[in-house]
């Protein structure tokens, strides 16, 4: 079993698009925030949610490898956000000199065997979570700057191995950075240059060779040439450096994209970005890494069910019901074969009704390709076909109480890799309650 752990770790970490621990209300303020509690010039939004549900394939096991183990799960998630006052509460026409936001969340997991001796529930019990903070000075000024910092702990004790109980693939990410933005001409043109450092580490010593530090020197810009349309560009230079460079390859990654984002009618928004990514992974001993040199792109068409009068600077989905279809071609650093390429098509639907009902559906189809690997022995390239889907719905009983339900499905059709069967089917369902302000 030990021989396959690096392969499992690499694929689990890289290719799980919809985390069961990432409840919708934690990452989306449209779901998470209520009226809030004012504290001077700050706005506080605490909440706590609890869910109970069923997981049909806890270990993501292939039927050929077995056993397929089902479990019940209990998840308790407290969270809190703190930010400077929004436009409505600030009640001022002039823009603020600075904005600040911070959040913290935790997610407690309890695993209950469903008539199976394959899961030691107490050993899989754990707590994930994260904190982050952002400061933006002169957010509407000719020149402004921003700072950010965050920490995330991801719980991943679901590997199909007895000795993974406890640490498993548990890992953390520390991130910090900042940037300077130039907005001449009243903000019609905007250009930001920034830097960000991210340290990824595994708590399990068996995977310490995967620990790495990434430096990201980035730049992005926007030019509004019509009231509701903008030309976009972004570029990144990323340096990947591993702590123990005996298995993984250090490298430099370069990416550049240009595109368009705009409302072509009051209901239809289009977004398209296309560019190129090139990798420069370094040879290490008998490791001869492959390189990526190809197109990357992101395209999306979104239809708002209600008329949308403006175009937000960062996102076009904020509290309005919409339907979207999109395609994403991306390149990512990987713990198996240096990198992987993903082509994903997706369909999204989000609904906000009468301030009491909120929900969303997303379905995606992906092809993920890995290059050949030369160490510890030559291995052919391989690819996977992945289906992912999630549905979330919430009904607000009062201004502070809500009940919700989540359905999630994942399916992987994979080539046999190193004589290991990696394909699986997994279904999850949860119901819960939430108290929020």
């Amino acid at each position: 079993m030990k021989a396959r752990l690096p392969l499992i770790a690499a694929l689990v970490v890289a290719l799980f698009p919809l985390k069961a621990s990432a409840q919708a209300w934690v990452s989306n303020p449209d779901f998470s925030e209520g009226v809030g509690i004012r504290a001077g010039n700050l706005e506080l939004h605490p909440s706590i949610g609890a869910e109970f549900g069923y997981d049909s394939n806890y270990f993501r096991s292939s039927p050929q490898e077995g056993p397929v183990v089902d479990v019940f799960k209990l998840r308790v998630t407290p969270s809190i956000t703190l930010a400077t006052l929004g436009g409505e509460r600030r009640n001022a026409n002039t823009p603020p000199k600075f904005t600040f936001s911070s959040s913290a969340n935790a997610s407690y997991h309890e695993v209950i065997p469903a008539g199976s001796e394959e899961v030691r529930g107490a050993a899989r019990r754990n707590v994930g979570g994260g904190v982050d903070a952002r400061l933006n000075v002169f957010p509407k000024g000719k020149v402004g700057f921003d700072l950010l910092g965050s920490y995330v702990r991801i719980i991943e004790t679901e590997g199909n191995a007895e000795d993974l109980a406890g640490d498993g693939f548990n890992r953390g990410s520390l991130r910090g950075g900042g940037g300077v933005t130039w907005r001449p001409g009243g903000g019609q043109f905007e250009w930001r240059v920034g830097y960000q450092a991210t340290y990824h580490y595994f708590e399990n010593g068996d995977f310490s060779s995967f620990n790495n530090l990434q430096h990201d020197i980035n730049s992005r810009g926007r030019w509004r040439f019509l009231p509701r349309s903008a030309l976009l560009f972004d570029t990144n230079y990323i340096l990947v450096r591993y702590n123990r460079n005996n298995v993984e390859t250090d490298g430099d990654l370069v990416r550049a994209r240009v595109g368009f984002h705009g409302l072509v009618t009051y209901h239809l928004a289009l977004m398209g970005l296309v560019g190129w990514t090139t990798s420069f992974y370094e040879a290490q001993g008998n490791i001869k890494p492959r390189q990526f040199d190809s197109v990357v792109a992101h395209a999306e068409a979104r239809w708002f069910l209600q008329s949308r009068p403006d175009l937000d600077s960062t996102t076009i989905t904020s509290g309005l019901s919409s339907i979207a279809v999109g395609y994403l071609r991306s390149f990512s650093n990987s713990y198996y074969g240096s990198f992987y390429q993903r082509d994903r098509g997706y369909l999204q639907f989000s609904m906000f009704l009468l301030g009491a009902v909120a929900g969303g559906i997303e379905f995606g189809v992906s092809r993920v390709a890995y290059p050949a690997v030369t160490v510890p022995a030559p291995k052919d390239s391989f690819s996977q076909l992945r289906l992912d889907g999630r549905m979330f719905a919430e009904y607000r009983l009062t201004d502070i109480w809500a009940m919700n339900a989540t359905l999630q499905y994942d399916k992987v059709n994979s080539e046999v890799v190193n004589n290991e069967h990696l394909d699986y089917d997994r279904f999850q369902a949860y119901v819960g309650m939430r108290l929020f302000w």
Side-chain angles (χ1 to χ4, degrees):
M1 186 65 71
K2 284 285 187 182
R4 71 193 291 253
L5 291 186
L7 172 63
I8 298 172
L11 301 183
V12 166
V13 171
L15 298 176
F16 197 51
L18 297 174
K19 291 292 298 174
S21 60
Q23 287 87 336
W25 65 82
V26 173
S27 58
N28 189 338
D30 288 332
F31 294 140
S32 63
E33 295 183 354
V35 295
I37 302 170
R38 181 166 181 172
N41 292 322
L42 297 175
E43 196 171 288
L44 189 66
H45 293 274
S47 74
I48 183 169
E51 297 174 290
F52 183 78
Y54 173 76
D55 186 334
S56 69
N57 188 353
Y58 181 70
F59 289 131
R60 306 189 193 107
S61 300
S62 170
Q64 291 92 338
E65 296 287 340
V68 176
V69 176
D70 59 341
V71 299
F72 295 104
K73 288 181 179 179
L74 173 65
R75 308 188 299 194
V76 180
T77 307
S79 64
I80 187 170
T81 63
L82 178 67
T84 50
L85 296 180
E88 293 183 1
R89 277 188 164 164
R90 197 166 48 84
N91 194 24
N93 295 324
T94 57
K97 293 183 178 180
F98 72 93
T99 61
F100 171 79
S101 65
S102 63
S103 66
N105 68 84
S107 187
Y108 169 80
H109 300 252
E110 182 72 39
V111 178
I112 304 169
S116 171
E117 299 298 325
E118 298 293 334
V119 178
R120 291 174 293 166
R124 306 281 173 170
R125 180 184 303 142
N126 220 315
V127 178
V131 295
D132 69 78
R134 295 176 180 269
L135 174 67
N136 197 337
V137 180
F138 305 123
K140 299 296 183 179
K142 183 176 181 179
V143 178
F145 68 90
D146 58 87
L147 298 171
L148 65 89
S150 69
Y151 167 73
V152 177
R153 182 174 189 251
I154 299 175
I155 302 303
E156 197 82 71
T157 56
E158 302 172 5
N160 189 7
E162 286 290 332
D163 56 354
L164 288 184
D167 289 341
F169 303 130
N170 296 349
R171 57 196 185 276
S173 295
L174 282 166
R175 178 177 289 110
V180 177
T181 302
W182 180 44
R183 306 179 187 91
Q188 293 299 105
F189 177 78
E190 181 176 292
W191 182 23
R192 180 186 182 275
V193 177
Y195 166 79
Q196 182 172 282
T198 306
Y199 180 63
H200 301 285
Y201 68 92
F202 284 77
E203 297 177 6
N204 192 329
D206 290 339
F207 308 128
S208 60
S209 61
F210 294 151
N211 297 350
N212 66 87
L213 177 64
Q214 298 187 14
H215 305 272
D216 182 355
I217 303 168
N218 54 76
S219 176
R220 68 172 185 261
R222 179 191 64 183
W223 174 47
R224 293 191 182 218
F225 61 95
L226 289 173
R228 293 179 295 275
S229 300
L231 295 179
L232 310 174
F233 69 88
D234 63 47
T235 183
N236 302 74
Y237 189 98
I238 301 174
L239 296 85
V240 181
R241 300 293 184 264
Y242 288 89
N243 289 0
R244 291 166 49 188
N245 194 15
N246 56 351
V247 176
E248 300 301 319
T249 55
D250 294 345
D252 297 353
L253 318 173
V254 181
R255 187 195 72 171
R257 301 185 304 174
V258 295
F260 168 85
H261 177 200
L263 284 163
V264 296
T265 73
Y266 286 125
H267 290 273
L268 178 62
L270 299 178
M271 185 272 292
L273 287 164
V274 63
W276 199 270
T277 296
T278 300
S279 69
F280 300 92
Y281 287 103
E282 303 172 1
Q284 173 70 21
N286 58 345
I287 302 177
K288 299 177 181 178
R290 302 299 193 270
Q291 305 294 348
F292 182 86
D293 189 32
S294 186
V295 173
V296 291
H298 189 188
E300 182 182 277
R302 183 175 297 271
W303 179 264
F304 294 96
L305 302 189
Q306 300 95 10
S307 176
R308 169 119 191 163
D310 62 348
L311 178 69
D312 186 83
S313 60
T314 57
T315 178
I316 56 175
T317 57
S318 180
L320 293 178
S321 300
S322 64
I323 301 172
V325 59
Y327 165 75
L328 177 65
R329 177 183 172 88
S330 62
F331 158 88
S332 297
N333 187 68
S334 171
Y335 300 127
Y336 184 86
S338 297
F339 68 88
Y340 67 88
Q341 173 192 319
R342 176 184 295 177
D343 292 89
R344 181 174 185 258
Y346 61 88
L347 179 67
Q348 296 176 341
F349 170 70
S350 59
M351 178 184 67
F352 303 90
L353 184 63
L354 301 176
V357 179
I361 299 174
E362 180 170 354
F363 174 74
V365 180
S366 305
R367 179 186 179 273
V368 182
Y370 281 84
V373 178
T374 59
V375 173
K379 298 176 178 63
D380 294 334
S381 60
F382 73 96
S383 63
Q384 295 181 322
L385 176 67
R386 301 177 62 89
L387 305 179
D388 61 83
R390 181 166 66 174
M391 180 175 68
F392 173 80
E394 182 172 86
Y395 175 68
R396 297 193 171 185
L397 302 171
T398 70
D399 289 339
I400 62 172
W401 277 102
M403 58 187 300
N404 54 60
T406 303
L407 298 176
Q408 186 169 318
Y409 176 73
D410 296 285
K411 180 179 178 63
V412 174
N413 288 329
S414 177
E415 301 174 25
V416 177
V417 184
N418 303 350
N419 296 319
E420 299 289 348
H421 296 273
L422 301 176
D423 51 330
Y424 68 85
D425 286 90
R426 188 184 192 189
F427 171 78
Q428 299 176 75
Y430 301 91
V431 293
M433 297 285 292
R434 188 164 67 95
L435 177 65
F436 60 95
W437 287 269

